[in-house]
Amino acid sequence: MNIEQLRADTPAVAQLIHFNNAGAALMPTPVIDTVTRHLQLEARLGGYEAAAQCSAELENVYGAIARLINAQPDEIAVIENATRAWDMAFYSLPLQAGDVVLTSTTEYAGNYIPYLQLKQQRGIEIRVIANDEHGQVSLPALKTMLEDERVALIALPVIATNGGPVQPVEQIGALARAAGVLFLLDACQGVGQMPIDVQKIGCHMLAATSRKYLRGPRGMGFLYVERSLCQNLEPVFLDLHAASLQTSDTFEIRADARRFENWECNVAAKLGLGAAVQYALAQGVDPMWLRIQQLAAYLRQRLADIPGVTPRDVGSLTSGIVTFTHQGSSAAQVQQWLAAQDKRINVTTSTFRSTLIDMQDRDLLEVNRASLHAYNTEAEIDTMIAALSCLPSA
Ligand SMILES: Cc1ncc(COP(=O)(O)O)c(C=O)c1O
């Protein structure tokens, strides 16, 4: 990888050390240029007129996303964030009383709350798959759970918001397919960080966001729905983009995955998402993933050498999200201390409310999260370690 070029494309690295890529990564220059160019075009021409001028470019966004995850353009819907994309898929499923949803201990609260809502409203059952000795989904446990014919859905994140294991999603997908059970993958922290191939994984639906490891603008995301499922899945919300009026009594839902979209959207951000995907493809997701893992391993090893600091990630395969606790300080104090350094260091905190089951299982209330991207460097990690080593304990 050409790290110098990556950093040259990311001007803010001259002023700060950004280890919050799982929150919102720094956008590279081509993404910023795409977004600002379009806003200027809107100012000059008018919003609708600017969009019309960019219609081919807008269409290409679907093709780029499809290439990134090895899908077809008609299987992609561009939706304002990962949560809404996930919701559009989840709430559209015809889940009924007694249907069972299987999830992981690492499930994100934003997804778990909808499970609870459908439990209350429709009487679905939520079952959490046990972990194996490495702390990731136990495949034998999942296989046994799938023997129950009431299981209607497996839904879980490939990488949790608070780090931890990269789930064995290809094996999970194979088990789901063998059992004839739908698989909804939350790839919010995976897309842009690691290779995500929906054919290899075998998921039926996948939700992702723009601003995290993809390095796109905020307020954008996308949903993948496998073509054969798409036409049988009626979106929970419809509008005049997702469907069209045929008579005053009838409407027709569009055939492609855009049935999950709605008409109005942030066109500049949509183009920016396209630019971010193109940028990731040009860098190569495989080498980026390798570098991210190497940087994360280096950070975990250096953290372990600081007295009072405990790295908290588990799993036989881990990601660029590195979590840790500090014996003498709260997560907020660590975050503030690092942000107050001469060269600001951005890390964040993750509390038990985001991933309740996992945090409870591991007896944790909060962790600090340093999430690394390929444009970060070992020298930046050394700077963080030096700062953390001088943290005055509370
Ligand atoms: C694992 C996971 N899933 C879903 C989301 C929600 O993404 P968004 O904020 O784009 O809706 C997040 C955000 O942090 C996440 O970490």
Side-chain angles (χ1 to χ4, degrees):
M1 294 216 76
N2 186 344
I3 308 305
E4 273 170 28
Q5 186 59 51
L6 272 180
R7 289 177 72 75
D9 290 342
T10 316
V13 296
Q15 278 85 49
L16 54 80
I17 296 176
H18 191 66
F19 290 161
N20 190 12
N21 297 289
L26 296 173
M27 287 179 279
T29 318
V31 172
I32 298 165
D33 289 348
T34 300
V35 175
T36 47
R37 206 182 314 122
H38 190 75
L39 288 177
Q40 279 156 4
L41 196 66
E42 286 188 345
R44 274 207 313 280
L45 293 187
Y48 288 18
E49 294 74 11
Q53 190 159 309
C54 295
S55 57
E57 213 185 317
L58 279 166
E59 205 48 43
N60 289 341
V61 175
Y62 296 87
I65 295 170
R67 262 201 313 289
L68 182 72
I69 63 167
N70 194 16
Q72 297 300 320
D74 65 308
E75 296 176 313
I76 306 298
V78 175
I79 300 179
E80 58 263 39
N81 53 55
T83 303
R84 268 302 164 268
W86 188 97
D87 284 344
M88 285 304 290
F90 177 71
Y91 283 103
S92 303
L93 295 169
L95 295 172
Q96 295 167 358
D99 284 346
V100 174
V101 174
L102 302 183
T103 190
S104 61
T105 59
T106 56
E107 183 58 294
Y108 183 62
N111 303 341
Y112 198 85
I113 290 165
Y115 303 149
L116 289 175
Q117 190 185 33
L118 285 207
K119 182 179 172 183
Q120 284 174 12
Q121 288 181 347
R122 297 192 206 162
I124 68 162
E125 206 183 302
I126 311 161
R127 290 186 193 158
V128 178
I129 312 159
N131 287 330
D132 66 12
E133 68 276 21
H134 304 292
Q136 61 217 20
V137 161
S138 159
L139 297 169
L142 172 60
K143 199 164 179 221
T144 306
M145 291 172 106
L146 284 168
E147 284 166 13
D148 186 336
E149 284 183 355
R150 288 179 305 154
V151 175
L153 177 71
I154 302 171
L156 47 83
V158 57
I159 298 170
T161 204
N162 63 338
V166 179
Q167 299 290 3
V169 284
E170 288 184 21
Q171 291 90 328
I172 294 170
L175 288 173
R177 294 268 166 182
V181 166
L182 291 176
F183 180 19
L184 166 55
L185 183 65
D186 174 350
C188 191
Q189 298 290 3
V191 166
Q193 173 168 197
M194 61 180 289
I196 294 284
D197 180 324
V198 293
Q199 305 302 326
K200 282 193 188 152
I201 296 170
C203 55
H204 302 85
M205 299 155 282
L206 172 151
T209 209
S210 153
R211 73 185 182 282
K212 298 180 186 287
Y213 276 88
L214 257 184
R215 306 184 63 189
R218 295 195 64 174
M220 262 297 131
F222 67 86
L223 174 68
Y224 154 82
V225 181
E226 187 183 64
R227 190 183 284 154
S228 57
L229 173 66
C230 188
Q231 285 165 21
N232 297 318
L233 206 58
E234 188 167 325
V236 65
F237 298 125
L238 288 174
D239 75 345
L240 77 183
H241 166 81
S244 56
L245 271 181
Q246 304 298 310
T247 69
S248 60
D249 252 352
T250 55
F251 63 89
E252 202 173 288
I253 305 177
R254 46 186 305 161
D256 60 15
R258 293 184 215 183
R259 57 173 48 197
F260 295 99
E261 296 181 346
N262 59 78
W263 190 82
E264 172 58 359
C265 84
N266 183 337
V267 176
K270 187 169 177 176
L271 292 170
L273 165 61
V277 173
Q278 301 281 12
Y279 188 80
L281 288 168
Q283 304 311 314
V285 178
D286 286 314
M288 276 204 292
W289 176 221
L290 194 64
R291 175 167 171 82
I292 290 168
Q293 287 175 295
Q294 283 166 351
L295 287 173
Y298 179 62
L299 175 55
R300 285 191 192 97
Q301 174 215 320
R302 300 272 347 245
L303 283 170
D305 290 339
I306 305 179
V309 171
T310 312
R312 292 292 182 180
D313 298 305
V314 295
S316 57
L317 183 62
T318 49
S319 75
I321 304 181
V322 178
T323 57
F324 59 95
T325 50
H326 190 284
Q327 207 175 26
S329 311
S330 70
Q333 284 168 330
V334 171
Q335 181 183 22
Q336 282 155 19
W337 174 254
L338 292 175
Q341 300 302 304
D342 286 346
K343 191 167 188 184
R344 183 189 170 98
I345 304 169
N346 290 338
V347 302
T348 188
T349 63
S350 193
T351 75
F352 72 98
R353 286 196 202 285
S354 296
T355 38
L356 188 116
I357 298 172
D358 171 61
M359 295 287 269
Q360 275 182 346
D361 281 358
R362 295 193 289 136
D363 218 7
L364 293 168
L365 283 177
E366 58 174 14
V367 289
N368 278 109
R369 181 179 77 176
S371 44
L372 312 179
H373 211 304
Y375 61 79
N376 293 129
T377 62
E378 280 89 355
E380 288 180 328
I381 292 172
D382 292 341
T383 304
M384 171 179 156
I385 295 296
L388 209 49
S389 306
C390 313
L391 174 68
S393 286

Coordinates of all heavy atoms in Angstrom, one line a residue, residues 88-165:
M88 N -35.3 -1.5 7.4 CA -36.2 -1.7 6.2 C -36.2 -3.2 5.9 O -37.3 -3.7 5.5 CB -35.7 -0.9 5.0 CG -35.9 0.6 5.1 SD -37.7 1.0 5.3 CE -38.4 0.5 3.7
A89 N -35.1 -3.9 6.1 CA -35.1 -5.3 5.8 C -35.8 -6.0 6.9 O -36.7 -6.8 6.7 CB -33.7 -5.8 5.7
F90 N -35.4 -5.8 8.2 CA -35.9 -6.5 9.3 C -37.5 -6.4 9.5 O -38.2 -7.4 9.6 CB -35.2 -6.1 10.6 CG -35.8 -6.7 11.8 CD1 -35.5 -8.1 12.1 CD2 -36.5 -6.1 12.8 CE1 -36.0 -8.7 13.2 CE2 -37.1 -6.7 13.9 CZ -36.8 -8.0 14.1
Y91 N -37.9 -5.1 9.5 CA -39.4 -4.9 9.7 C -40.2 -5.4 8.5 O -41.4 -5.5 8.6 CB -39.7 -3.4 10.0 CG -39.3 -3.0 11.4 CD1 -38.1 -2.3 11.7 CD2 -40.1 -3.4 12.5 CE1 -37.8 -2.0 13.0 CE2 -39.7 -3.1 13.8 CZ -38.6 -2.3 14.0 OH -38.2 -2.0 15.3
S92 N -39.6 -5.6 7.4 CA -40.3 -6.1 6.2 C -40.5 -7.6 6.2 O -41.3 -8.1 5.5 CB -39.6 -5.7 4.9 OG -39.5 -4.3 4.9
L93 N -39.7 -8.3 7.1 CA -39.9 -9.7 7.1 C -41.2 -10.1 7.8 O -41.6 -9.5 8.7 CB -38.7 -10.3 8.0 CG -37.3 -10.1 7.4 CD1 -36.2 -10.5 8.4 CD2 -37.1 -10.9 6.1
P94 N -41.8 -11.1 7.2 CA -43.2 -11.5 7.8 C -43.0 -12.4 9.0 O -43.5 -13.5 9.1 CB -43.8 -12.3 6.6 CG -42.6 -12.9 5.9 CD -41.5 -11.9 6.0
L95 N -42.4 -11.8 10.0 CA -42.2 -12.6 11.3 C -43.5 -12.6 12.1 O -44.2 -11.6 12.2 CB -41.0 -12.0 12.1 CG -39.7 -12.0 11.5 CD1 -38.7 -11.2 12.3 CD2 -39.2 -13.4 11.3
Q96 N -43.7 -13.8 12.6 CA -45.0 -14.0 13.3 C -44.8 -14.6 14.7 O -43.7 -15.1 15.0 CB -45.9 -15.0 12.6 CG -46.3 -14.5 11.2 CD -46.9 -15.7 10.4 OE1 -47.0 -16.8 10.8 NE2 -47.3 -15.3 9.2
A97 N -45.8 -14.6 15.5 CA -45.7 -15.2 16.9 C -45.1 -16.6 16.8 O -45.4 -17.4 16.0 CB -47.1 -15.3 17.5
G98 N -44.1 -16.8 17.7 CA -43.4 -18.1 17.7 C -42.2 -18.2 16.9 O -41.3 -19.1 17.1
D99 N -42.1 -17.3 15.9 CA -40.9 -17.3 15.0 C -39.6 -17.0 15.9 O -39.7 -16.1 16.8 CB -41.0 -16.3 13.9 CG -41.9 -16.8 12.8 OD1 -42.2 -18.0 12.8 OD2 -42.2 -16.0 11.9
V100 N -38.5 -17.6 15.6 CA -37.3 -17.4 16.5 C -36.3 -16.6 15.6 O -36.0 -16.9 14.5 CB -36.8 -18.7 16.9 CG1 -35.4 -18.6 17.6 CG2 -37.8 -19.5 17.8
V101 N -35.7 -15.6 16.3 CA -34.6 -14.9 15.7 C -33.3 -15.2 16.5 O -33.3 -15.1 17.7 CB -34.8 -13.3 15.8 CG1 -33.6 -12.6 15.3 CG2 -36.0 -12.9 14.9
L102 N -32.3 -15.7 15.8 CA -31.0 -16.0 16.4 C -30.1 -14.8 16.2 O -29.9 -14.3 15.1 CB -30.4 -17.3 15.8 CG -31.2 -18.5 15.8 CD1 -30.4 -19.7 15.3 CD2 -31.7 -18.9 17.3
T103 N -29.4 -14.5 17.3 CA -28.4 -13.4 17.2 C -27.2 -13.7 18.1 O -27.2 -14.7 18.8 CB -29.0 -12.0 17.6 OG1 -28.1 -11.0 17.2 CG2 -29.3 -11.9 19.0
S104 N -26.2 -12.9 18.0 CA -25.0 -13.1 18.7 C -24.9 -12.2 20.0 O -25.7 -11.3 20.1 CB -23.7 -12.7 17.9 OG -23.8 -11.3 17.5
T105 N -24.1 -12.6 20.9 CA -23.9 -11.8 22.1 C -23.5 -10.4 21.8 O -23.6 -9.5 22.5 CB -22.8 -12.4 23.1 OG1 -21.6 -12.5 22.4 CG2 -23.2 -13.8 23.6
T106 N -22.8 -10.2 20.6 CA -22.2 -9.0 20.2 C -23.2 -8.1 19.5 O -22.8 -7.0 18.9 CB -21.0 -9.2 19.3 OG1 -21.5 -10.0 18.2 CG2 -19.9 -9.9 20.0
E107 N -24.5 -8.4 19.5 CA -25.5 -7.6 18.7 C -25.5 -6.2 19.2 O -25.4 -5.9 20.4 CB -26.9 -8.3 18.8 CG -28.0 -7.6 18.0 CD -27.7 -7.5 16.5 OE1 -26.7 -6.8 16.1 OE2 -28.4 -8.1 15.7
Y108 N -25.7 -5.3 18.2 CA -25.8 -3.9 18.5 C -27.2 -3.5 19.0 O -28.2 -4.0 18.5 CB -25.6 -3.2 17.1 CG -25.5 -1.7 17.1 CD1 -24.6 -1.0 17.8 CD2 -26.4 -1.0 16.3 CE1 -24.5 0.4 17.8 CE2 -26.4 0.4 16.3 CZ -25.4 1.1 17.0 OH -25.4 2.4 16.9
A109 N -27.2 -2.6 20.0 CA -28.5 -2.3 20.6 C -29.5 -1.8 19.6 O -30.7 -2.0 19.8 CB -28.2 -1.3 21.7
G110 N -29.0 -1.1 18.6 CA -29.9 -0.5 17.6 C -30.7 -1.6 16.9 O -31.7 -1.3 16.3
N111 N -30.1 -2.8 16.8 CA -30.8 -3.9 16.2 C -31.6 -4.7 17.2 O -32.6 -5.3 16.9 CB -29.8 -4.9 15.5 CG -29.0 -4.1 14.4 OD1 -29.3 -3.1 14.0 ND2 -27.8 -4.7 14.1
Y112 N -31.0 -4.8 18.4 CA -31.6 -5.6 19.5 C -33.0 -5.0 19.9 O -33.9 -5.8 20.2 CB -30.7 -5.8 20.6 CG -31.0 -6.9 21.6 CD1 -30.6 -8.2 21.3 CD2 -31.8 -6.7 22.7 CE1 -30.9 -9.3 22.1 CE2 -32.2 -7.8 23.5 CZ -31.7 -9.1 23.2 OH -32.1 -10.1 24.0
I113 N -33.0 -3.7 19.9 CA -34.3 -3.1 20.3 C -35.4 -3.4 19.4 O -36.5 -3.8 19.8 CB -34.1 -1.5 20.5 CG1 -33.2 -1.3 21.7 CG2 -35.4 -0.8 20.6 CD1 -32.6 0.1 21.8
P114 N -35.2 -3.4 18.1 CA -36.3 -3.9 17.2 C -36.7 -5.4 17.4 O -37.9 -5.7 17.3 CB -35.7 -3.7 15.8 CG -34.7 -2.6 15.9 CD -34.2 -2.7 17.3
Y115 N -35.7 -6.2 17.9 CA -36.2 -7.6 18.2 C -37.1 -7.5 19.4 O -38.2 -8.2 19.4 CB -35.0 -8.5 18.7 CG -33.8 -8.6 17.7 CD1 -32.5 -8.8 18.2 CD2 -34.0 -8.6 16.3 CE1 -31.5 -8.9 17.3 CE2 -33.0 -8.8 15.5 CZ -31.7 -8.9 16.0 OH -30.6 -9.1 15.1
L116 N -36.8 -6.7 20.4 CA -37.7 -6.6 21.5 C -39.0 -6.0 21.2 O -40.1 -6.4 21.7 CB -37.0 -5.7 22.6 CG -35.8 -6.4 23.3 CD1 -35.2 -5.3 24.3 CD2 -36.2 -7.6 24.1
Q117 N -39.0 -5.1 20.2 CA -40.3 -4.5 19.8 C -41.2 -5.5 19.2 O -42.3 -5.6 19.5 CB -40.0 -3.3 18.9 CG -41.3 -2.5 18.6 CD -41.1 -1.4 17.6 OE1 -40.4 -1.5 16.6 NE2 -41.9 -0.3 17.8
L118 N -40.6 -6.3 18.3 CA -41.4 -7.4 17.6 C -41.7 -8.5 18.6 O -42.7 -9.2 18.4 CB -40.7 -7.9 16.4 CG -40.7 -7.0 15.1 CD1 -40.6 -7.8 13.8 CD2 -41.9 -6.1 15.0
K119 N -40.9 -8.7 19.6 CA -41.3 -9.6 20.6 C -42.6 -9.1 21.3 O -43.5 -9.9 21.5 CB -40.2 -9.8 21.6 CG -40.4 -10.8 22.7 CD -39.2 -10.9 23.7 CE -39.6 -11.7 24.8 NZ -38.5 -11.8 25.8
Q120 N -42.6 -7.8 21.6 CA -43.8 -7.3 22.3 C -45.0 -7.2 21.3 O -46.1 -7.6 21.7 CB -43.5 -5.9 22.8 CG -42.7 -5.8 24.0 CD -42.2 -4.4 24.4 OE1 -42.8 -3.4 23.8 NE2 -41.3 -4.3 25.3
Q121 N -44.7 -6.8 20.1 CA -45.9 -6.6 19.2 C -46.4 -7.9 18.6 O -47.6 -8.0 18.3 CB -45.4 -5.6 18.1 CG -45.3 -4.2 18.5 CD -44.9 -3.3 17.4 OE1 -44.5 -3.7 16.3 NE2 -44.9 -2.0 17.6
R122 N -45.4 -8.8 18.2 CA -45.9 -9.9 17.4 C -45.6 -11.3 18.1 O -46.0 -12.3 17.6 CB -45.1 -10.0 16.0 CG -45.4 -8.8 15.2 CD -44.9 -9.0 13.7 NE -44.6 -7.8 13.0 CZ -43.9 -7.7 12.0 NH1 -43.3 -8.8 11.4 NH2 -43.6 -6.5 11.4
G123 N -44.9 -11.2 19.2 CA -44.6 -12.5 19.9 C -43.5 -13.3 19.3 O -43.5 -14.5 19.5
I124 N -42.5 -12.7 18.7 CA -41.3 -13.4 18.2 C -40.5 -13.8 19.4 O -40.6 -13.2 20.5 CB -40.5 -12.7 17.1 CG1 -39.8 -11.5 17.8 CG2 -41.4 -12.3 15.9 CD1 -38.6 -10.9 16.9
E125 N -39.6 -14.7 19.2 CA -38.7 -15.1 20.3 C -37.2 -14.8 19.9 O -36.9 -15.0 18.7 CB -38.8 -16.6 20.5 CG -38.5 -17.1 21.9 CD -38.6 -18.6 22.0 OE1 -39.7 -19.2 21.7 OE2 -37.5 -19.2 22.3
I126 N -36.5 -14.3 20.9 CA -35.1 -13.9 20.6 C -34.2 -15.0 21.3 O -34.4 -15.2 22.5 CB -34.7 -12.5 21.2 CG1 -35.7 -11.5 20.8 CG2 -33.3 -12.1 20.8 CD1 -35.7 -10.3 21.7
R127 N -33.3 -15.6 20.6 CA -32.3 -16.5 21.2 C -30.9 -16.1 20.9 O -30.6 -15.8 19.7 CB -32.6 -17.9 20.7 CG -33.9 -18.5 21.2 CD -34.0 -20.0 20.9 NE -35.4 -20.4 21.1 CZ -36.0 -21.4 20.5 NH1 -35.3 -22.2 19.7 NH2 -37.2 -21.7 20.8
V128 N -30.1 -16.1 21.9 CA -28.7 -15.6 21.7 C -27.8 -16.8 21.5 O -27.8 -17.7 22.4 CB -28.2 -14.7 22.9 CG1 -26.8 -14.3 22.7 CG2 -29.2 -13.5 23.0
I129 N -27.0 -16.9 20.5 CA -26.2 -18.0 20.2 C -25.0 -18.0 21.2 O -24.4 -16.9 21.4 CB -25.6 -18.0 18.7 CG1 -26.8 -17.7 17.7 CG2 -24.9 -19.3 18.4 CD1 -26.3 -17.2 16.4
A130 N -24.7 -19.1 21.8 CA -23.5 -19.2 22.7 C -22.2 -18.9 22.0 O -22.1 -19.2 20.8 CB -23.5 -20.5 23.4
N131 N -21.2 -18.5 22.7 CA -19.9 -18.3 22.1 C -19.0 -19.5 22.3 O -19.2 -20.3 23.2 CB -19.2 -17.1 22.8 CG -19.8 -15.8 22.3 OD1 -20.3 -15.7 21.2 ND2 -19.8 -14.8 23.2
D132 N -18.0 -19.6 21.4 CA -17.1 -20.7 21.6 C -15.9 -20.3 22.5 O -16.0 -19.2 23.1 CB -16.5 -21.2 20.2 CG -15.7 -20.1 19.5 OD1 -15.3 -19.1 20.2 OD2 -15.4 -20.3 18.3
E133 N -14.9 -21.1 22.6 CA -13.9 -20.7 23.6 C -13.1 -19.5 23.2 O -12.4 -18.9 24.1 CB -12.9 -21.9 23.8 CG -12.0 -22.3 22.6 CD -12.7 -23.2 21.6 OE1 -14.0 -23.2 21.5 OE2 -12.0 -23.9 20.8
H134 N -13.2 -19.0 22.0 CA -12.5 -17.8 21.6 C -13.4 -16.5 21.8 O -12.9 -15.4 21.5 CB -12.1 -17.9 20.1 CG -11.3 -19.1 19.8 ND1 -10.0 -19.2 20.2 CD2 -11.5 -20.2 19.0 CE1 -9.5 -20.4 19.8 NE2 -10.4 -21.0 19.1
G135 N -14.6 -16.8 22.1 CA -15.5 -15.6 22.3 C -16.3 -15.2 21.1 O -17.0 -14.2 21.0
Q136 N -16.3 -16.1 20.0 CA -17.1 -15.8 18.8 C -18.2 -16.8 18.7 O -18.2 -17.8 19.4 CB -16.2 -15.7 17.6 CG -15.5 -17.0 17.3 CD -14.1 -16.8 16.7 OE1 -13.5 -15.7 16.9 NE2 -13.6 -17.8 16.1
V137 N -19.2 -16.5 17.9 CA -20.3 -17.4 17.7 C -19.9 -18.9 17.6 O -19.0 -19.2 16.8 CB -21.1 -17.0 16.4 CG1 -22.0 -18.2 16.0 CG2 -21.9 -15.8 16.7
S138 N -20.4 -19.8 18.4 CA -20.1 -21.2 18.4 C -20.9 -21.8 17.2 O -22.1 -21.8 17.3 CB -20.5 -21.8 19.7 OG -20.6 -23.2 19.5
L139 N -20.2 -22.4 16.3 CA -20.8 -23.0 15.1 C -21.6 -24.2 15.5 O -22.7 -24.4 15.0 CB -19.8 -23.2 14.0 CG -19.2 -21.9 13.4 CD1 -18.0 -22.2 12.5 CD2 -20.2 -21.0 12.7
P140 N -21.0 -25.1 16.4 CA -21.8 -26.3 16.8 C -23.1 -25.8 17.5 O -24.2 -26.4 17.3 CB -20.9 -27.0 17.7 CG -19.5 -26.6 17.3 CD -19.7 -25.2 16.9
A141 N -23.0 -24.8 18.4 CA -24.2 -24.3 19.1 C -25.2 -23.8 18.1 O -26.4 -24.1 18.2 CB -23.8 -23.2 20.1
L142 N -24.8 -23.1 17.1 CA -25.7 -22.5 16.1 C -26.4 -23.7 15.3 O -27.6 -23.7 15.1 CB -24.9 -21.6 15.1 CG -25.7 -21.1 13.9 CD1 -27.0 -20.3 14.3 CD2 -24.8 -20.3 13.0
K143 N -25.6 -24.7 15.0 CA -26.1 -25.8 14.2 C -27.2 -26.5 15.0 O -28.3 -26.8 14.4 CB -25.0 -26.8 13.9 CG -25.2 -27.8 12.8 CD -24.0 -28.5 12.3 CE -24.4 -29.4 11.2 NZ -23.8 -30.7 11.3
T144 N -27.0 -26.7 16.3 CA -28.0 -27.3 17.1 C -29.3 -26.4 17.2 O -30.4 -26.9 17.1 CB -27.5 -27.5 18.5 OG1 -26.3 -28.3 18.4 CG2 -28.5 -28.3 19.4
M145 N -29.1 -25.1 17.3 CA -30.2 -24.2 17.4 C -31.1 -24.2 16.1 O -32.3 -24.0 16.2 CB -29.8 -22.8 17.7 CG -29.2 -22.6 19.1 SD -28.4 -21.0 19.3 CE -29.6 -20.2 20.4
L146 N -30.4 -24.4 15.0 CA -31.1 -24.4 13.7 C -31.9 -25.7 13.5 O -32.7 -25.7 12.6 CB -30.1 -24.3 12.6 CG -29.5 -22.9 12.4 CD1 -28.3 -22.9 11.4 CD2 -30.5 -21.9 11.9
E147 N -31.8 -26.6 14.4 CA -32.7 -27.8 14.3 C -34.1 -27.5 14.6 O -35.0 -28.2 14.2 CB -32.1 -29.0 15.2 CG -30.9 -29.6 14.6 CD -30.2 -30.5 15.6 OE1 -30.7 -30.8 16.7 OE2 -29.0 -30.8 15.3
D148 N -34.3 -26.4 15.3 CA -35.7 -26.0 15.7 C -36.3 -25.3 14.4 O -35.8 -24.3 14.0 CB -35.6 -25.0 16.8 CG -37.0 -24.6 17.3 OD1 -38.0 -24.7 16.6 OD2 -37.1 -24.2 18.5
E149 N -37.4 -25.9 14.0 CA -38.0 -25.4 12.7 C -38.6 -24.0 12.9 O -38.9 -23.3 11.9 CB -39.0 -26.3 12.2 CG -38.4 -27.5 11.6 CD -39.3 -28.5 11.0 OE1 -40.6 -28.3 11.1 OE2 -38.9 -29.5 10.3
R150 N -38.7 -23.5 14.1 CA -39.3 -22.2 14.3 C -38.3 -21.1 14.0 O -38.6 -19.9 14.0 CB -39.8 -22.0 15.7 CG -41.1 -22.9 15.9 CD -41.6 -22.7 17.3 NE -40.6 -23.1 18.3 CZ -40.5 -22.6 19.5 NH1 -41.4 -21.8 20.0 NH2 -39.6 -23.0 20.3
V151 N -37.0 -21.4 13.9 CA -36.0 -20.4 13.6 C -36.2 -19.8 12.2 O -36.3 -20.5 11.2 CB -34.5 -21.0 13.7 CG1 -33.5 -19.9 13.3 CG2 -34.2 -21.5 15.1
A152 N -36.5 -18.5 12.2 CA -36.8 -17.8 10.9 C -35.7 -16.9 10.4 O -35.7 -16.6 9.2 CB -38.1 -17.0 11.1
L153 N -34.8 -16.6 11.3 CA -33.8 -15.5 10.9 C -32.6 -15.7 11.8 O -32.7 -15.9 13.0 CB -34.4 -14.1 11.1 CG -33.5 -12.9 10.8 CD1 -33.2 -12.8 9.3 CD2 -34.1 -11.6 11.4
I154 N -31.4 -15.5 11.1 CA -30.2 -15.3 11.9 C -29.8 -13.8 11.5 O -29.8 -13.5 10.4 CB -29.0 -16.2 11.4 CG1 -29.4 -17.7 11.6 CG2 -27.7 -15.9 12.2 CD1 -28.4 -18.6 11.0
A155 N -29.5 -13.0 12.6 CA -29.1 -11.6 12.3 C -28.0 -11.3 13.3 O -28.2 -11.4 14.5 CB -30.3 -10.7 12.5
L156 N -26.9 -10.8 12.8 CA -25.8 -10.4 13.7 C -24.8 -9.5 13.0 O -24.8 -9.5 11.8 CB -25.1 -11.7 14.3 CG -24.8 -12.8 13.3 CD1 -23.4 -12.5 12.6 CD2 -24.7 -14.1 14.0
P157 N -23.9 -8.9 13.8 CA -22.9 -8.0 13.1 C -21.6 -8.8 12.9 O -21.2 -9.6 13.7 CB -22.6 -6.9 14.2 CG -23.0 -7.6 15.5 CD -23.9 -8.7 15.2
V158 N -21.0 -8.6 11.7 CA -19.7 -9.3 11.4 C -18.7 -8.8 12.4 O -17.9 -9.6 12.9 CB -19.3 -9.1 9.9 CG1 -19.2 -7.6 9.5 CG2 -18.0 -9.8 9.7
I159 N -18.7 -7.5 12.7 CA -17.8 -6.9 13.7 C -18.7 -6.0 14.6 O -19.4 -5.2 14.1 CB -16.7 -6.0 13.1 CG1 -15.8 -6.9 12.1 CG2 -15.8 -5.4 14.1 CD1 -14.8 -6.1 11.3
A160 N -18.5 -6.2 15.9 CA -19.3 -5.4 16.8 C -18.8 -4.0 17.0 O -17.7 -3.7 16.7 CB -19.3 -6.1 18.2
T161 N -19.7 -3.1 17.4 CA -19.3 -1.7 17.6 C -18.2 -1.6 18.7 O -17.5 -0.7 18.6 CB -20.6 -0.9 18.0 OG1 -20.4 0.4 17.6 CG2 -21.0 -1.0 19.4
N162 N -18.2 -2.5 19.6 CA -17.1 -2.5 20.7 C -16.0 -3.5 20.4 O -15.5 -4.1 21.3 CB -17.8 -2.7 22.0 CG -18.4 -4.1 22.1 OD1 -18.7 -4.8 21.1 ND2 -18.5 -4.6 23.4
G163 N -15.7 -3.7 19.1 CA -14.6 -4.6 18.8 C -14.9 -6.0 18.9 O -16.0 -6.5 18.6
G164 N -13.9 -6.7 19.5 CA -14.1 -8.2 19.7 C -13.9 -8.9 18.5 O -13.2 -8.5 17.6
P165 N -14.5 -10.1 18.4 CA -14.2 -11.0 17.3 C -14.8 -10.6 15.9 O -15.8 -9.9 15.9 CB -14.9 -12.3 17.7 CG -16.0 -11.9 18.6 CD -15.6 -10.6 19.3

